[in-house]
Amino acid sequence: MKSEGGPKKQDGKQRRKRRRAHVMVAFIKLTLLEAVTEFLWSDGPESLLIPGGSDILVGPRPFTDKHILIDISQVTELKKVTVGAGGVLSVGVGLTHQEIVDHPVIRRRARLLQLACGRVGSIQIRNRGTLGGNLGNASPAGDSIPALACLDARVVVAGRSRRREFDLLSFFTGPGETALQVDEVIESVQIPEREGRSVAFFKKAGQRRGMCCSKASVALLARRRSPKSLSDVRVALGAVAPTVLRIPEVEQVLEGRRLTPAVIREAAEACSRAANPIDDIRSTADYRRQVVGALLTEGLFEIADHMQLLEQRRRSAKRRGRRR
Amino acid sequence: MKALKTVGRRPRRLDAEAKVLGELVYPSDRCLEGMLWVEVVRSAHPHARIESVDTSAAAAVAGVVCVLTAKDVPGENAFGIQIQDMPVLCHDRVRYMGDAVALVAAESRAAAREAVARVRVDYEVLEPIIDPEQAMQPDAPALHPGGNILHRGHFQKGDVEVGFKKSAVIIERAYQVPMMDHAYLETEAGVSYYDDSGSLTVESCGQYVYRDQTQIARALGLPLEKVRVTAPYTGGAFGGKDEITVQIHLALVTYHTKRPAKMVLSRDESIVSHTKRHPARMWYKTGASKSGKLLAVWCRLVSDTGAYASLGGPVLNLMMEHCAGPYLVPNVSVDGFAVYTNNGFSGAFRGFGCTQACVAIESQMDLMARALRRDPLAFRRDNVLHKGDRAALDYEMKTKVGAEATIRAAGRGKLYRTRGKFKRDRSEHTRSMAPYIKRGVGVASQMQGLGLGVGLPDYAEVELNFSPDGAVTVRASTSELGQGAYTAYAQMAAECMGVPLEKVRVVGADTKTTPDSGTTTASRTTYAVGNAILMAAGKLRAELDKRAVGLEGISVRETFHLPVADVKLGDGLPHLLYSYGTHVALVEVNTLTGEIAVLAVEAYLDGGRVIFRTGFEGQSEGGVAQGIGYALFEEVLFDRGRFLNTNFDTYILPTSMDVPADIRTVPVEVKEDTGPYGAKGVSETCMVGVTPAILNALHDAIGVRFTRLPVRAEDVLRAVLERRR
């Protein structure tokens, strides 16, 4: 939930200099959403919101002594989970990743979000970092974003006496950049209800297993249409483009088709083609392109195995029934 | 022999309670009344000439007490363990990004940092020398007066050409290993002040207080007795605090201001400035007969020592000494070069050259076993060195050799014996049943010289005091770096004085109150200090028989001189004593994503008799983690001499999730005749073999030989795709 007022990301040289200087900043804690929006309205450009602080405390500090840090980790309105008209699930973005993972309502209605939040960083980071922080940072590697993209989530932001709603992917305008105004705070994500039995996975490749930032990630959400095929397939990729991508090409390949090895290969290839990654200190563009396909393959094989297992169980139950 | 009461058991560590309660004071915890914060102005370029240094703006910052430059170094503006080629503060030239150009001391850290940013240094930027091969060329610009080759060596045994002619299988490969950071928990830190007797005192994080004292006194132009250095407890070192880090800078500030001073390096500054593991390139050609006998090892080793010497020479010597592993080879030829470049600065690090060589020779051994279709452990066992054999550099192995015992123990171990089952059976260590998951088991065996080796002063003096209440105090100047050595000292003192462990106290690392026990390096402290304790205890018991204990108790001092080889091939070359070890690793490779998981490691370690069992296992488990880091994750990256990853967000260390829960450490206790209770040391052996065991397991899993570390998922996937084509 970075305020737009903070200076933009700096290159390495400037960053080193910045790190050397000690900075004294004002720090306040607000507990009412109204107080936060009021404060942002009057002092927006100078303020920096801290939902969990897992980035700001350790990273290159994106603030100067002119800044006011606002701790919003205790704003109760941001921690609400409700189910509204039409079965829309509203998740307050002040929840930590671990709170999302442990939440029974989210488990029933948005399991994919839990799968993704459960893979963020480490247990320490999941205990502090929030969904709002993950969205506000707008990193293409943010783990919750591909999951929310598959869930067709909408983002609600609050300003002083106004609210705006965005389609999730249109909320992100570039790496580290969002449509959030300086006087606004992200309030919740709205997840529409889905019919039928869902299957979902979130897979990521990182530099190591613990405490790890995604080199590439894949989220998939679909309905089990028949014992052997999927429908209403959504696939989103993280860390392989300036922002998270939904991949309709892959979705079309999988739509309604049996999960045979040939179909899975076709989907993986489409996935790799759709990726537009870069080389950086964590990995290479080549690897990222290949691994999104690999992650999708792994996930689809697991789903195919799982569906086969269910089918076997169903059949043997049927047989037992007949015998009786 | 009498049954031992304390030695070999698992007592609670002496420092356990203080550490768990957070009461133990580490150098970075120290705070003194009226102390100044010291910050360093480091070089802005990997290679440049300094044209001018303007400190006026920095001195004007509120709270700044002094800004010091090269002209303020009263003694010799140079330090270095072996060759003093590194300036305390650079005056004409900088050779790496960590070079110190000026010091700022201020009332607050904020003011000191502010002033650092205001010191103006004008540089004439020079082309950095980044390739060791080019640096060796005669026309390359010289970084030091003697040229860029810090040290070279050539050794020959037999005739390799004859060996290769007789060989049925010849394997040739080039290996490349990266620069590695020690990644100790506590960065370099300390305080300095004048003590009551007027000695300039530095409480710091070093690994040898007496050498630090010498280096400080030389730089400040003070007599030794006017300098006092202490370093009893430090948050990890692994060799990275063997060289001077903050000590001279601290002393310099106190010398000029007469005030106490404190320094704690940030992680970025730590990674940029301190010595690292030498990156190296190693070319190997090895041959064996059809019957599986090693016939020849030829190798060329080039280690990049970076900007200054530190221990680059001795590290290369050990790399050459251990170039053929713990094996009997009739024909050996080795050429080694340690070369100056502008790539950071390298020095001592757990394994000390053996680590690099072991990666190469153990890969070669595996490749040869494969080519001969021999069991990799049996092939090693058939070629292993024994006492009386002539080692790779053609000297006789005169002490007990435990290599074969560790190999045999590894062969009896569960992991190796049932490796077929581990590779097939997914129920144990289960991650996935999928067909694209491949498993492999690899082994590696190694030896590691103990002590500094021939030609370097290597002794340990300790003081033992018996007080009227029956308590025993051990005074030794080695440091407790986390390894648990003080507990081992206490166990040995309790055992030989016949007192319970609770009655023993250990006072460590203070040039004023403890005698010179040598370095806390080279797997030597348990062996060297232990022997001195045994000698002193004998003398103390004799004294106790003769006279009554007065109020001050009875104190005795004894010095143990480490036995050395009767030949000298170079500084620290060769050793008389070695520790041995064989590691077995089980890895799993996801051939879709290239990801690697180490599922289990077994360590069979001959460090002689184990004194402190829990400490022994702790060393081994830490060694496994570090060996995994070297194999799969860790590498300091450079762009033309500039560091790219100076913090743990981009310098990737293994986490608890990346280290297997299943680490089995088995002591193979080949009792050393000259060791205290038969002990040697284990602190390096426990890490060195882990890395090649993982490489060999990877080969077993997917049939690909990796010759460049670290092996990343990117490398695995590229190799898997290439094989498929």
Side-chain angles (χ1 to χ4, degrees):
Chain A
M1 242 177 276
K2 185 159 61 187
S3 143
E4 288 281 284
K8 291 278 182 278
K9 280 220 164 112
Q10 295 149 335
D11 65 31
K13 216 185 272 171
Q14 279 172 309
R15 196 203 290 178
R16 246 193 304 285
K17 258 191 198 146
R18 163 89 57 217
R19 234 184 241 201
R20 283 193 169 276
H22 247 242
V23 175
M24 299 285 264
V25 288
F27 180 92
I28 57 168
K29 179 183 261 185
L30 298 175
T31 52
L32 288 173
L33 187 59
E34 202 189 330
V36 176
T37 52
E38 198 68 31
F39 199 98
L40 290 176
W41 179 72
S42 57
D43 293 287
E46 287 81 39
S47 50
L48 199 64
L49 300 178
I50 306 182
S54 57
D55 270 321
I56 214 161
L57 291 176
V58 294
R61 310 214 156 131
F63 51 81
T64 65
D65 50 5
K66 308 264 182 322
H67 276 89
I68 304 161
L69 307 190
I70 309 173
D71 180 347
I72 53 168
S73 63
Q74 307 299 315
V75 178
T76 43
E77 289 125 299
L78 294 180
K79 289 197 170 266
K80 274 195 287 199
V81 176
T82 54
V83 180
V88 175
L89 172 71
S90 169
V91 178
V93 297
L95 292 178
T96 65
H97 296 291
Q98 196 57 42
E99 283 166 340
I100 288 173
V101 169
D102 295 336
H103 204 287
V105 177
I106 301 176
R107 171 166 304 257
R108 277 196 302 280
R109 292 174 172 263
R111 177 78 183 126
L112 179 59
L113 180 60
Q114 288 192 326
L115 294 176
C117 288
R119 293 295 307 276
V120 170
S122 63
I123 185 75
Q124 294 93 330
I125 288 176
R126 292 195 289 276
N127 278 337
R128 273 221 75 93
T130 64
L131 185 58
N134 210 228
L135 297 176
N137 262 341
S139 160
D143 285 333
S144 70
I145 304 171
L148 290 171
C150 289
L151 287 161
D152 268 341
R154 293 179 70 74
V155 181
V156 177
V157 305
R160 182 189 190 237
S161 72
R162 75 180 152 132
R163 272 197 171 66
R164 298 196 293 156
E165 233 183 276
F166 296 88
D167 174 58
L168 181 91
L169 291 180
S170 69
F171 179 67
F172 302 105
T173 52
E177 285 167 20
T178 66
L180 197 70
Q181 300 286 311
V182 289
D183 60 344
E184 289 174 326
V185 52
I186 308 173
E187 187 180 3
S188 66
V189 292
Q190 308 285 326
I191 299 169
E193 188 172 25
R194 293 170 53 79
E195 285 163 14
R197 289 171 173 241
S198 288
V199 289
F201 66 77
F202 175 78
K203 298 243 167 217
K204 71 189 243 185
Q207 284 173 291
R208 61 183 165 201
R209 204 151 293 157
M211 204 75 176
C212 124
C213 180
S214 292
K215 290 195 278 202
S217 62
V218 179
L220 177 142
L221 180 68
R223 252 203 304 278
R224 228 164 54 219
R225 193 177 73 161
S226 74
K228 292 200 175 97
S229 67
L230 304 175
S231 69
D232 193 15
V233 183
R234 295 106 183 266
V235 175
L237 308 184
V240 291
T243 59
V244 167
L245 302 174
R246 269 279 294 273
I247 313 291
E249 303 93 295
V250 180
E251 297 169 357
Q252 278 152 25
V253 169
L254 294 171
E255 190 67 41
R257 289 172 74 185
R258 279 188 63 172
L259 287 181
T260 60
V263 169
I264 291 176
R265 193 176 316 122
E266 198 182 325
E269 278 164 9
C271 203
S272 294
R273 270 199 305 277
N276 178 26
I278 54 164
D279 284 323
D280 66 8
I281 199 156
R282 288 203 186 88
S283 189
T284 62
D286 265 352
Y287 177 77
R288 288 186 160 109
R289 202 173 293 116
Q290 284 154 5
V291 87
V292 282
L295 293 172
L296 185 79
T297 306
E298 242 192 321
L300 288 173
F301 270 123
E302 281 165 21
I303 287 181
D305 281 352
H306 181 66
M307 289 188 5
Q308 202 179 353
L309 198 73
L310 289 179
E311 177 63 9
Q312 277 166 7
R313 268 194 216 148
R314 198 177 58 85
R315 277 199 194 135
S316 57
K318 222 183 200 170
R319 270 200 301 277
R320 272 201 301 277
R322 228 179 282 146
R323 245 178 265 144
R324 248 175 247 143
Chain B
M1 195 177 172
K2 221 168 56 186
L4 297 173
K5 286 202 176 97
T6 328
V7 159
R9 303 198 182 246
R10 303 173 176 277
R12 188 158 80 182
R13 283 177 70 115
L14 299 189
D15 51 10
E17 197 171 314
K19 282 185 173 170
V20 170
L21 294 174
E23 284 167 356
L24 194 122
V25 178
Y26 289 96
S28 53
D29 296 328
R30 288 284 278 148
C31 275
L32 301 166
E33 184 113 7
M35 73 183 186
L36 298 170
W37 272 98
V38 185
E39 293 279 336
V40 184
V41 178
R42 301 208 182 260
S43 172
H45 304 282
H47 191 196
R49 217 180 303 285
I50 298 174
E51 286 179 337
S52 64
V53 183
D54 179 0
T55 61
S56 53
V61 171
V64 169
V65 173
C66 68
V67 184
L68 305 176
T69 58
K71 65 178 185 332
D72 301 305
V73 180
E76 201 180 318
N77 186 5
F79 70 97
I81 293 176
Q82 230 203 350
I83 303 169
Q84 288 75 51
D85 64 353
M86 183 159 181
V88 175
L89 292 170
C90 297
H91 66 286
D92 58 346
R93 198 168 175 193
V94 287
R95 296 179 179 86
Y96 84 117
M97 298 296 292
D99 259 333
V101 179
L103 290 178
V104 176
E107 302 289 349
S108 72
R109 199 172 195 186
R113 287 187 170 178
E114 172 88 43
V116 161
R118 295 192 188 203
V119 171
R120 205 190 135 93
V121 186
D122 287 324
Y123 295 100
E124 182 203 334
V125 177
L126 303 173
E127 189 66 17
I129 299 170
I130 54 170
D131 180 43
E133 294 290 340
Q134 277 170 17
M136 276 196 272
Q137 299 304 316
D139 57 339
L143 287 169
H144 291 277
N148 292 336
I149 301 181
L150 164 65
H151 181 53
R152 72 167 86 197
H154 171 73
F155 294 97
Q156 214 166 317
K157 175 187 178 188
D159 183 343
V160 284
E161 286 317 316
V162 172
F164 287 129
K165 266 195 200 110
K166 285 193 217 154
S167 295
V169 46
I170 293 175
I171 302 286
E172 246 184 300
R173 286 282 196 287
Y175 299 88
Q176 194 178 341
V177 290
M179 177 182 271
M180 184 186 193
D181 185 61
H182 304 73
Y184 21 72
L185 278 178
E186 186 186 35
T187 59
E188 301 81 344
V191 294
S192 59
Y193 56 93
Y194 278 102
D195 75 0
D196 300 338
S197 66
S199 294
L200 180 47
T201 304
V202 179
E203 293 183 14
S204 75
C205 56
Q207 293 181 241
Y208 186 14
V209 284
Y210 279 91
R211 189 176 54 215
D212 291 354
Q213 180 192 35
T214 310
Q215 298 224 57
I216 295 168
R218 184 172 50 215
L220 267 61
L222 292 172
L224 274 182
E225 62 275 14
K226 284 285 167 197
V227 177
R228 175 183 180 186
V229 181
T230 75
Y233 291 95
T234 295
F238 308 105
K241 293 169 181 172
D242 201 17
E243 188 55 271
I244 287 286
T245 55
V246 296
Q247 294 91 330
I248 301 178
H249 290 159
L250 277 168
L252 205 55
V253 166
T254 296
Y255 175 88
H256 280 285
T257 62
K258 310 283 175 256
R259 289 178 61 179
K262 173 169 182 168
M263 265 178 98
V264 181
L265 298 195
S266 70
R267 182 61 67 181
D268 299 78
E269 205 177 356
S270 165
I271 290 187
V272 168
S273 63
H274 77 242
T275 60
K276 305 285 185 305
R277 184 182 305 290
H278 285 80
R281 287 180 215 166
M282 301 171 282
W283 289 263
Y284 265 76
K285 183 177 173 187
T286 55
S289 71
K290 204 164 183 181
S291 62
K293 277 283 170 198
L294 263 173
L295 292 178
V297 170
W298 171 93
C299 60
R300 178 174 182 271
L301 313 168
V302 177
S303 101
D304 179 351
T305 205
Y308 299 101
S310 190
L311 288 167
V315 166
L316 177 69
N317 277 346
L318 262 76
M319 212 186 281
M320 295 190 287
E321 181 182 357
H322 297 80
C323 72
Y327 307 110
L328 177 60
V329 193
N331 305 295
V332 178
S333 169
V334 45
D335 279 289
F337 303 87
V339 188
Y340 288 121
T341 66
N342 298 112
N343 299 327
F345 171 34
S346 288
F349 195 156
R350 195 184 218 170
F352 205 85
C354 305
T355 324
Q356 291 92 329
C358 187
V359 166
I361 185 68
E362 284 306 300
S363 298
Q364 292 288 111
M365 290 299 286
D366 228 56
L367 287 165
M368 284 189 289
R370 248 163 226 289
L372 290 164
R373 301 187 181 284
R374 295 286 310 270
D375 174 279
L377 260 187
F379 177 61
R380 284 172 170 82
R381 192 193 57 221
D382 291 349
N383 286 291
V384 82
L385 275 171
H386 292 99
K387 188 174 171 178
D389 284 345
R390 293 193 78 77
L393 304 193
D394 210 6
Y395 56 90
E396 191 184 330
M397 300 292 286
K398 290 201 163 162
T399 54
K400 278 186 192 164
V401 176
E404 185 176 358
T406 65
I407 291 173
R408 286 189 183 278
R412 286 192 299 271
K414 188 176 164 200
L415 202 50
Y416 198 75
R417 205 165 21 87
T418 55
R419 61 191 183 283
K421 175 174 158 286
F422 275 116
K423 281 160 69 175
R424 285 188 311 272
D425 180 12
R426 308 294 164 122
S427 62
E428 197 133 2
H429 309 282
T430 286
R431 284 216 311 143
S432 170
M433 309 271 285
Y436 50 83
I437 302 283
K438 308 286 182 203
R439 281 182 172 184
V441 173
V443 298
S445 196
Q446 62 109 204
M447 62 190 228
Q448 173 88 41
L450 182 150
L452 307 183
V454 70
L456 302 172
D458 200 2
Y459 56 87
E461 184 177 1
V462 301
E463 183 179 310
L464 223 52
N465 173 281
F466 190 84
S467 71
D469 61 352
V472 174
T473 305
V474 180
R475 290 177 190 276
S477 77
T478 61
S479 301
E480 174 59 65
L481 314 169
Q483 78 279 46
Y486 286 3
T487 307
Y489 300 168
Q491 283 178 276
M492 291 186 279
E495 191 72 54
C496 57
M497 289 304 296
V499 298
L501 189 64
E502 302 76 59
K503 285 282 191 187
V504 184
R505 198 165 67 100
V506 177
V507 177
D510 183 341
T511 55
K512 196 164 199 170
T513 62
T514 61
D516 184 354
S517 322
T519 64
T520 314
T521 64
S523 309
R524 70 182 283 284
T525 60
T526 301
Y527 175 83
V529 175
N531 268 322
I533 289 172
L534 259 59
M535 288 164 68
K539 198 165 158 188
L540 189 55
R541 281 199 308 268
E543 287 288 315
L544 286 168
D545 288 344
K546 272 188 271 175
R547 61 188 171 104
V549 182
L551 269 179
E552 302 90 62
I554 300 178
S555 288
V556 297
R557 284 191 174 204
E558 274 292 353
T559 306
F560 173 73
H561 291 270
L562 276 81
V564 291
D566 50 11
V567 285
K568 185 177 177 202
L569 305 172
D571 283 337
L573 200 62
H575 289 75
L576 177 71
L577 295 157
Y578 296 87
S579 297
Y580 301 86
T582 299
H583 282 91
V584 187
L586 170 68
V587 305
E588 190 171 273
V589 183
N590 180 328
T591 55
L592 274 182
T593 63
E595 288 168 305
I596 301 166
V598 180
L599 300 183
V601 175
E602 284 179 3
Y604 298 88
L605 305 174
D606 163 30
R609 184 199 290 277
V610 178
I611 304 290
F612 177 29
R613 201 157 286 260
T614 325
F616 180 87
E617 288 163 0
Q619 283 274 23
S620 172
E621 284 159 24
V624 168
Q626 210 161 35
I628 290 174
Y630 195 44
L632 305 180
F633 301 107
E634 299 183 45
E635 176 174 21
V636 179
L637 296 162
F638 286 96
D639 175 22
R640 302 186 54 71
R642 284 177 196 276
F643 288 77
L644 293 179
N645 50 347
T646 58
N647 215 324
F648 296 149
D649 55 344
T650 44
Y651 182 87
I652 302 298
L653 293 164
T655 68
S656 56
M657 303 278 286
D658 304 287
V659 176
D662 191 356
I663 299 174
R664 225 160 69 85
T665 301
V666 181
V668 180
E669 300 183 88
V670 179
K671 298 195 180 65
E672 168 53 36
D673 300 330
T674 65
Y677 299 100
K680 288 189 287 191
V682 78
S683 58
E684 299 172 279
T685 319
C686 63
M687 179 251 170
V688 172
V690 177
T691 306
I694 291 170
L695 292 179
N696 294 340
L698 284 173
H699 193 161
D700 188 40
I702 57 171
V704 177
R705 173 57 50 177
F706 294 101
T707 54
R708 191 191 178 289
L709 299 183
V711 183
R712 299 205 165 97
E714 284 79 0
D715 308 314
V716 174
L717 199 58
R718 200 180 312 118
V720 167
L721 292 177
E722 264 165 29
R723 267 172 63 92
R724 232 173 256 163
R725 269 183 213 127

